[in-house]
Amino acid sequence: MRGWQVHENGDPDDVLTWHEDIPEPVPGPGQVAVRVHAAACNFPDILACQGKYQEKPPLPFVPGMEVAGEVVAAGEGARFAVGDRVVGLPVLGHGGYAEVTLLPDDATFRWPEGMTPAQAAGLLITYQTGWCALTHRGQLKEGETLLVHAAAGGVGTAAVQLGKALGAHVIGTAGGAEKCAVAKSVGCDEVVDYRDADLVAAVKDLTGGRGADVIYDPVGGDVFDASRRIAAFEGRILVIGFAGGRIADAPTNHVLIKNYSVVGVHWGYYRTMNPALIQPWQDALEDLWGKGLIEPLVGAELPLSEVKEALRRLGSRGTVGKVVLVP
């Protein structure tokens, strides 16, 4: 089969190589081989190429951790059969940036009816993370104020939609008029353009000085530092990731004095520590999709041959919604 491989770690531009003769993966027990209809790009794909992600596949490997496709072969005991349309997270090293990928049972789910290939490919990581973060870790309640940073990106747009579905008042942050318009279009009640406004002052003004009950932070760094100053009494800052590059510190004296919580959200760890939660979360997301309360935003759809350009855009934080590759 054809696809992209990484033979040595480094920046995607330098280490991703195209091959015409990669051996097609053969499913083992509880696995399915899937012909890829679409593969979503995620920031951890860049880290995996660089050798900086927490899970390090042996070299060479095919990157791409989120796909939608059709089952073409099923191993013994697999939950899905040939011909089923599924979404899933590939087996480590057998990623989605190829014509066929390998999915394990515990990370394979049905393709929701009515979703385009690009939407389906971008569903799992962002929406499962958002649902886990907001309902399970953050305990977001109806009527509370949710602040979503990077609200125009793939992670942010999912959190905004889920927050609105849960009955929250949602404030988004974004940089520039275009991204602010996107954040508004997916459901934000107010949007703060951090390029033109003081983020802390703007959020305090919008909340009457109280601050946000739940803060969804996939950026880290300076954004986390600002979030500490605008967390409400008994607020929860959800640490989703570090797209800004700098891992911030959480001074415990400040946490104590202001009485807020800093809550880590590593959704993938639930697959190991409490896998029974994943399917109910997915059922909840399908229900929201069926009710028209969520709709994955695809900001760019590129051919698989342009994977380097896709990851370049993602790494520059110049994208909105999800960036998706199609064969």
Side-chain angles (χ1 to χ4, degrees):
M1 68 175 182
R2 300 179 301 171
W4 293 92
Q5 278 189 323
V6 173
H7 288 263
E8 60 179 349
N9 293 127
D11 288 334
D13 266 354
D14 300 326
V15 301
L16 276 168
T17 57
W18 179 256
H19 295 271
E20 300 276 346
D21 57 354
I22 300 173
E24 195 165 304
V26 176
Q31 297 178 338
V32 290
V34 171
R35 185 161 301 280
V36 177
H37 290 194
C41 297
N42 293 277
F43 191 73
D45 292 326
I46 298 173
L47 298 178
C49 291
Q50 296 170 336
K52 297 178 180 178
Y53 194 56
Q54 56 258 39
E55 295 179 326
K56 294 179 173 59
L59 298 168
F61 69 90
V62 176
M65 57 178 55
E66 191 175 24
V67 302
E70 182 179 333
V71 176
V72 293
E76 183 181 355
R79 292 191 302 127
F80 292 93
V82 172
D84 286 343
R85 284 158 51 94
V86 297
V87 300
L89 310 180
V91 172
L92 191 66
H94 296 278
Y97 296 169
E99 292 179 322
V100 178
T101 189
L102 202 60
L103 302 183
D105 253 3
D106 69 345
T108 308
F109 307 90
R110 62 189 177 197
W111 179 330
E113 188 69 31
M115 277 193 184
T116 67
Q119 287 179 317
L123 173 69
L124 274 180
I125 292 176
T126 52
Y127 283 86
Q128 279 267 356
T129 297
W131 193 251
C132 166
L134 295 177
T135 66
H136 188 71
R137 298 291 285 151
Q139 298 291 307
L140 179 67
K141 301 176 183 64
E142 185 176 358
E144 287 191 314
T145 295
L146 168 67
L147 175 64
V148 178
H149 292 302
V155 173
T157 53
V160 170
Q161 293 175 10
L162 292 171
K164 291 303 296 181
L166 290 165
H169 181 90
V170 181
I171 302 171
T173 71
E178 179 187 355
K179 287 191 174 183
C180 286
V182 170
K184 191 75 172 177
S185 73
V186 296
C188 284
D189 296 289
E190 291 99 14
V191 181
V192 176
D193 186 343
Y194 59 75
R195 292 182 182 175
D196 293 335
D198 180 283
L199 175 59
V200 173
V203 173
K204 285 187 175 180
D205 182 61
L206 289 171
T207 59
R210 183 174 177 276
D213 298 294
V214 176
I215 301 175
Y216 197 88
D217 180 14
V219 182
D222 294 345
V223 169
F224 178 84
D225 294 341
S227 295
R228 292 193 295 106
R229 298 169 60 192
I230 48 180
F233 173 72
E234 294 191 334
R236 290 83 79 198
I237 302 176
L238 302 175
V239 179
I240 309 298
F242 313 102
R246 179 172 71 86
I247 298 175
D249 294 319
T252 52
N253 64 324
H254 194 259
V255 173
L256 183 153
I257 291 168
K258 286 198 67 179
N259 222 58
Y260 63 86
S261 302
V262 178
V263 184
V265 182
H266 181 186
W267 168 72
Y269 202 27
Y270 283 91
R271 292 176 56 197
T272 300
M273 301 303 294
N274 198 347
L277 292 174
I278 306 295
Q279 185 62 59
W281 289 345
Q282 188 67 11
D283 293 340
L285 294 174
E286 280 202 51
D287 182 60
L288 292 176
W289 163 256
K291 293 176 178 176
L293 295 175
I294 61 171
E295 184 167 358
L297 175 65
V298 179
E301 195 169 328
L302 302 174
L304 182 61
S305 59
E306 294 188 28
V307 63
K308 293 184 180 182
E309 171 62 18
L311 294 180
R312 196 178 301 124
R313 293 186 194 181
L314 190 64
S316 69
R317 295 178 60 191
T319 58
V320 299
K322 294 286 283 194
V323 178
V324 179
L325 301 166
V326 292

